[in-house]
Amino acid sequence: MYNLRQLHSSYFLVERPTNYSKPELKDPHIVKCTKAISIHMRNGHCDLALHIFNAMPLRNSVSYNAMLSGYLRNAKFSLARNLFDRMPHKDLFSWNLMLTGCLRNHRFLDARMLFDSMPKKDIVSWNAMLSGYVRSGHINEAREVFDKMPHKNSISWNGLLAAYVRSGRLQEALCLFKSKSDWELISWNCLIGGYVKRNMLGDARQLFDQMPVRDLISWNTMISGYAQDGDLSQARRLFEESPVRDVFTWTAMVCAYVHDGMLDEARRVFDEMPQKREMSYNAMILGYAQYKRMDMARELFEATPFPNIVSWNVIISGYCQKGDVAQARNLFNRMPRRDSVSWAAIIAGYAQNSHYEEAMNMLVKMKRDGQSLNRCTFCCALSTCADIPALELGKQVHGQVVKTGYENGCLVGNALVGMYCKCGCIDEAYDVFQRIQHKDIVSWNTMLTGYARHGFGRQALTLFESMITAAVKPDEITMVGVLSACSHTGLTDRGTEYFHSMNKAYGITPNSKHYTCMVDLLGRAGRLEEAEILIKSMPFEADAATWGALLGASRIHGNMELGEKAAEVVFKMEPSNSGTYVLLSKLYAVSGRWADFCKMRLRMREVGVQKIPGHSWVEVHNKIHTFTVGDCIHPEKDRIYAFLEELDLKMKHEGYVSSTNLVLHDVGEEEKKHMLKYHSEKLAVAFGILTIPAGRPIRVMKNLRVCEDCHNAIKHISKILRRFIIVRDSRRFHHFSEGICSCGDYWSKGGSRSSVKVKVKVKEPDPDIVTWNKAISIHMRNGHCDSALRVFNSMPRRSSVSFNAMISGYLRNGKFSFARDLFDRMPERDLFSWNVMLTGYVRNRRLGDARNLFDLMPLKDVVSWNAMLSGYAQNGFVDEAREVFNRMPYRNSISWNGLLAAYVHNGRLLEARHLFDSQSDWELISWNCLVGGYVKRNMLDDARRLFDQMPVRDVISWNTMISGYAQVGDLSQAKKLFDESPIQDVFTWTAMLSGYVQNGMVDEARKYFDEMPVKNEISYNAMLAGYVQYKKMDIAWKLFEAMPCRNISSWNTMITGYGQNGGIAQARKLFDMMPQRDCVSWAAIIAGYAQNSHYEEALNMFVEMKRDGEISNRSTFSCALSTCADIAALDLGKQVHGQVVKAGFETGCFVGNALLGMYFKCGSTDEANDVFEGIEKKDVVSWNTMIAGYARHGFGRQALVLFESMKKAGVKPDEITMVGVLSACSHSGLIDKGTEYFYSMTGDYNVTPTSKHYTCMVDLLGRAGRLEEAENLMRNMPFEPGAASWGALLGASRIHGNTELGEKAAEMVFKMEPHNSGMYVLLSNLYAASGRWVDVGKMRSKMKEVGVQKVTGYSWVEVQNKIHTFAVGDCFHPEKDRIYAFLEELDLKMRREGYVSSTKLVLHDVEEEEKEHMLKYHSEKLAVAFGILTISAGRPIRVMKNLRVCQDCHNAIKHISKIVGRLIILRDSHRFHHFNEGICSCGDYW
């Protein structure tokens, strides 16, 4: 057995001749390396495997195949394909390996292309292709491959048979089965299993009886089949006949009895079992749990000899379903191990038992525990968010869903649709619904029911028609949704038509739920007699829900007799249903029958029924605030009540009158009004208004139905405060805006809309169509598309203006599918309608849709042509814009100016000038446009010539030229034009001021500022920015204080200035004082904290920003990622990445590059590579970040491969690129390669070497021991070497023990940077290693004289989103005792493995034993030990250090990684070290 520690020794750095002979397979060195590659790949450490592969002097096809196989196993397809293409010799095994890898990862197109290009195929190749198609369900393609096969084996036949069986194509399976006779037993069992799975037991039995031989699987399949079908007699008979029974046979019988509810019989079979396994116990426990016999289930669970994770999950689920969530949690806490099902069970348990906050806490805890979310846990989490409902938390879960790629699947997609529907976000729900790739019946039903509950009945019916068109067959639930939609929207005739056609049209027999919907539909419309007749004609006894619907309708329409009759029937069926008593009590109270009302109260007491207390809740900053009527517990109660009093006065002024007839107490009117004033929903709405920022909807939930008075009041509140309020009660949603509710008041009064005493835009059906159209426009401008649609649907008649208002609104709010659907349904389209639709597409950059519509237009005017031209022009499609321009039958000034602006904005100034010269009657705006184009590109001579030719100039002309000269630093010309300008406005003065600021002449700028006759915010901000830029914060603060009016830019400038100049406390103070913030404000304060090393506060601010509802932009994301990178907070960085993905910024350069940097600095090179591959248009920063990242991680060869790819991609290297390339060569010992790149920089890449490049070369040569060459290079530098170059030489001298050269280099550094403590330490190390303790003492004295203190070394590690920091010999950490004990234990094991302390590094002249003690508790060792103790097995331990890791710690951590079998990634101030199996990725070349 070879030792993996040898694999990174200097043996790999020996250069071999290029003309070596082809290696033999049995070369022991190749075998060792290949084995090491396989080990790393199995552990998922692709980078380490590649490091070994690159270090191999000789490779054979086995080495390549090991790398290929590893890449494919770890889903690194691009890397695998790249390596495959570079293989010098591909054998058939390599082709098959690549083919199989593509297929296993569902990359069928790649696999087929590879298969077709194979020079030679064997049976393995054909079977791989066949099985790939089979596994993915492409049966016809699998058959095509099967038919083409030159020869087939049993794997081929069985593969195709299994494909037919799994996909339910049993007829074809049987035909294939009959086509040959020598089938194996596995094939017989496969076909029988297919019949059993589809309950075709007759066919299964017939085949079973024909079997020449049967095994246990055959018998068990048939027994299970009969058992699942409920035919216990046949199952029992086969059980008795079975010649041999195993644990699966017995368990099948147990499951059969459990399935039929015969638990005692199941237990009898269970007790008779000769041998039991976990699955047997679990089947029996599941039976008891299923039928809520938890005492028996618990007894059996406790008796299980070895309960597995399924046993724990079953018993936890059982307690949850029974409602005993405390017992479930107790068991959950006792679990020795948990999986995603365990977490899903406890989260679902809390949610099902209405412990929503605990459910969300468990979800957060699960993430902290490192448990990855699967579809099941995502669904539980989303269901919990929906039930609460907690929209913000739901959106966070959605972000994680997007990152895992589950969004487009049915299971999680349906849960997302349900969550958004229940949280009142019907538009977001529809967006998710649209993205689900293969919608099932549940997807359609969820969306349809959502529309129904929100009162958007017509949209629900439109969706229903789309469902029929999509060939999805409706089921019973669908029709409940359809009838509910008709009921909530008052579409009585439509609903009746659907109900009576259910059986004939869709094959659905109406059940009690459908009849209940119909009774509700007719009852709301006031057709109570028809509703009663329908109940009497039902083919079965009407249930309590149906009679309850009739009672509710009777209360709405005041039909006392029918109400009493319906209530009495419900009392007989459900005597404890409090809602029925309340409904009848309300009916009595409204009629003034207080004696009957009191009797109802007494009856409730006699029966023991209590009215369910009403409560409402609202989510603010991810926290649920719950209110009851007259709440006196909430901490903000005084503020809420005062606000409600204020609102009450305003509402009464608007005509609001309390609905006192709803108060179920025989008291005075004033007392009734007081009772209504503090209902829970009003308290929740008031608190939402006080705490949720303007512009965001207020979402309130109530556990009962919203009362009529609150409904009326909230309409008034929405109009007075211009807030959008969404209330979800126990039955439906109400969207309040501008004094209108989306329900149209059709929830409390049937048939006709209730008259509202609010002065709203839309009250009764109004013949004045202009008023309706105006209301639609108001709603659309405020972004309330649903309310606008409600108004539109309520219109008695519509004109083309109504349609155009709706279409324009939809397009303004990005609802393209709704706009197009309405456009297509317009009865008559005029030219204006076409232009509205076209302009909407253009403004939203949907140019493909716009062009299709443009080509379809029956008639076009100049507006149509200009819209299309401007769409192309504004989006950079200049050639397409020119094509439209050339085709225009007639052009106006907008056409000419549009094309000219397109040329100018895209830098095509030569073509712009040709167009300009082609005609003479240009407007002044066109002259200014072309002048501005020249100025923007610093072509000031051309700009000036055009300026001088202008027939007329305005202030914009003068300002453009003055700004142009000022920006390039030609202040004399700028001043000359300024003096010549016939008119000077505030922008002219500000242009001069900015010119002086940009050129560093702040005092001169202030003179202009003081002379300005008029100043605005722009002038103040320009002067303010000047002071901030040149760090004159005192003067900046005085100017800021003196500003008569400050805008948000003024505040942002000051916050940025203080952040950049170390005044972060002052920056935060200003931030907290800001009257209003934007994303720039948040980015400034986050960046300020990060720049001043307050990383935790920076991340806290990012979280606070999300809670405050501010949408993150690229800048804030970049700041947050930079902060995560600086402190190496990988888990937090991944959470930010999830939000980046959801925001759609991941593929852009700016945020993509920040993600690259974050992953590299956190030690995750694979994730960095994945992000890099996903960036659509990589810029030079993207490539530089990757090259520098690989260099810091010691993966030099990968960095150089990437550098070559960069050149092939046509990206020109810059100075930073070459620093990365040379660093890569330095860290990996590629001396000759690095020297070659250095000397070819100027000739090949036009990059002149700077001091950084020379420093890299000194480091490269010095590390290799070529100190004389390094010194000569420094002498020949074209400029004086800097401290960094001498420091590199000093470091190399320390490594190689050259004291003389080290002293010389140190002296040079001390002259340049006398306070650089690192250089003193390096020289001290050099003296200590040489035993020159007197000189070490002198160096200490010199540091004291100069006043230099050694930088304290500390290390930190992230555990569960918290940073733990350690110093040497740390005695403050709460886990210190445990850490030190563990280190002592590790020390003994390391010494047995051959570890010896590097005592020569200790800078003290003491005994060896004391030196060893000093080394034992270095900060990096403490951090590593804590990581091992707290981070779960299988996850890497990532440790950061602010200084370079010491040689002893490096050696020790290598041993630790081998002893504990963990991957440890250490980032020091210079580079990364990946420790695994006793090896470091640096190959000890650091």
Side-chain angles (χ1 to χ4, degrees), residues 1250-1307:
T1250 65
S1251 61
K1252 288 184 179 178
H1253 302 111
Y1254 277 97
T1255 301
C1256 288
M1257 275 305 294
V1258 170
D1259 187 59
L1260 175 75
L1261 296 168
R1263 284 175 187 271
R1266 291 153 69 167
L1267 297 174
E1268 192 176 339
E1269 288 182 57
E1271 190 179 9
N1272 289 335
L1273 180 69
M1274 292 182 69
R1275 286 200 192 100
N1276 295 324
M1277 285 169 67
F1279 37 74
E1280 281 298 313
S1285 303
W1286 285 110
L1289 189 61
L1290 172 57
S1293 301
R1294 185 196 66 80
I1295 292 170
H1296 297 284
N1298 191 326
T1299 310
E1300 183 185 347
L1301 187 58
E1303 287 178 320
K1304 180 180 177 181
E1307 283 304 316

Side-chain angles (χ1 to χ4, degrees), residues 398 402 407-409 416 420 428-439 1142:
H398 188 178
V402 171
E407 186 187 29
N408 299 333
L416 277 168
Y420 279 120
E428 286 86 345
Y430 186 74
D431 289 341
V432 174
F433 173 78
Q434 288 285 71
R435 286 196 293 271
I436 297 175
Q437 289 175 348
H438 302 289
K439 300 176 184 71
K1142 192 175 179 188

Side-chain angles (χ1 to χ4, degrees), residues 71-100:
Y71 276 141
L72 292 166
R73 184 186 292 114
N74 291 285
K76 306 292 180 187
F77 308 109
S78 58
L79 295 175
R81 187 56 195 252
N82 181 264
L83 186 65
F84 178 78
D85 292 339
R86 289 191 290 114
M87 280 182 73
H89 304 287
K90 302 183 190 86
D91 55 15
L92 185 55
F93 183 80
S94 311
W95 284 95
N96 286 341
L97 192 64
M98 193 69 201
L99 177 67
T100 309

Side-chain angles (χ1 to χ4, degrees), residues 392 395-396 620-622 691-697 1077-1079 1082 1101-1113:
E392 294 306 318
K395 285 182 175 179
Q396 290 175 28
V620 177
H621 298 325
N622 282 0
T691 52
I692 296 172
R696 292 181 62 198
R1077 303 180 186 120
D1078 62 5
C1079 57
W1082 287 97
M1101 289 306 291
F1102 182 75
V1103 172
E1104 192 176 327
M1105 179 188 75
K1106 296 299 291 181
R1107 284 183 185 151
D1108 203 51
E1110 185 66 51
I1111 298 170
S1112 298
N1113 65 359

Side-chain angles (χ1 to χ4, degrees), residues 477-607:
I477 298 170
T478 315
M479 297 314 298
V480 169
V482 168
L483 296 174
S484 295
C486 296
S487 177
H488 285 307
T489 320
L491 303 172
T492 314
D493 295 338
R494 195 82 179 269
T496 306
E497 181 186 331
Y498 278 121
F499 177 77
H500 290 300
S501 66
M502 272 171 61
N503 202 338
K504 185 178 178 183
Y506 312 115
I508 299 170
T509 305
N511 59 26
S512 61
K513 288 183 179 177
H514 300 114
Y515 277 98
T516 300
C517 288
M518 274 306 296
V519 169
D520 187 61
L521 176 74
L522 296 168
R524 284 175 187 273
R527 292 155 66 170
L528 297 175
E529 190 176 342
E530 288 180 60
E532 188 180 13
I533 291 169
L534 181 67
I535 291 176
K536 290 175 181 173
S537 65
M538 285 171 66
F540 39 77
E541 282 296 315
D543 60 12
T546 310
W547 285 105
L550 187 62
L551 170 59
S554 302
R555 186 197 69 79
I556 290 170
H557 298 285
N559 191 323
M560 184 68 66
E561 183 184 348
L562 189 57
E564 288 180 316
K565 180 180 177 182
E568 283 305 317
V569 178
V570 178
F571 291 151
K572 289 175 185 175
M573 295 179 177
E574 294 181 355
S576 301
N577 187 333
S578 63
T580 310
Y581 293 91
V582 173
L583 272 175
L584 188 56
S585 297
K586 284 183 177 178
L587 189 54
Y588 286 143
V590 170
S591 306
R593 291 172 56 177
W594 295 107
D596 290 317
F597 172 81
C598 292
K599 286 178 185 176
M600 192 54 52
R601 284 282 173 90
L602 287 170
R603 185 172 179 180
M604 286 177 74
R605 287 177 191 168
E606 288 169 8
V607 180

Side-chain angles (χ1 to χ4, degrees), residues 1201-1214:
V1201 168
L1202 198 70
F1203 178 61
E1204 295 302 324
S1205 301
M1206 175 184 181
K1207 291 190 291 182
K1208 286 178 185 173
V1211 180
K1212 187 181 177 184
D1214 61 9

Side-chain angles (χ1 to χ4, degrees), residues 197-209:
K197 190 177 179 182
R198 283 157 185 82
N199 290 330
M200 299 168 67
L201 290 172
D203 298 278
R205 184 56 185 266
Q206 189 178 348
L207 199 64
F208 177 79
D209 292 336

Side-chain angles (χ1 to χ4, degrees), residues 905-1004:
H905 292 154
N906 286 277
R908 294 164 67 166
L909 295 176
L910 189 60
E911 291 163 285
R913 189 58 190 256
H914 286 159
L915 182 71
F916 191 82
D917 292 339
S918 67
Q919 70 143 344
S920 56
D921 56 338
W922 288 96
E923 298 173 349
L924 180 58
I925 190 174
S926 312
W927 287 86
N928 286 340
C929 174
L930 190 52
V931 169
Y934 284 131
V935 166
K936 190 177 180 182
R937 282 159 184 83
N938 292 332
M939 299 168 67
L940 289 173
D941 292 339
D942 298 278
R944 183 58 184 264
R945 274 194 292 274
L946 198 65
F947 177 79
D948 291 338
Q949 294 169 19
M950 289 178 74
V952 181
R953 305 183 190 107
D954 62 3
V955 71
I956 295 172
S957 320
W958 289 95
N959 289 350
T960 302
M961 285 306 302
I962 292 167
S963 298
Y965 281 124
Q967 283 166 12
V968 297
D970 192 348
L971 292 176
S972 61
Q973 279 292 340
K975 180 80 168 74
K976 184 182 175 187
L977 280 179
F978 178 80
D979 293 335
E980 290 176 5
S981 177
I983 182 169
Q984 295 160 348
D985 64 3
V986 69
F987 296 100
T988 322
W989 284 90
T990 305
M992 281 304 296
L993 187 155
S994 299
Y996 282 114
V997 163
Q998 286 166 13
N999 287 276
M1001 301 166 71
V1002 181
D1003 296 333
E1004 193 68 27

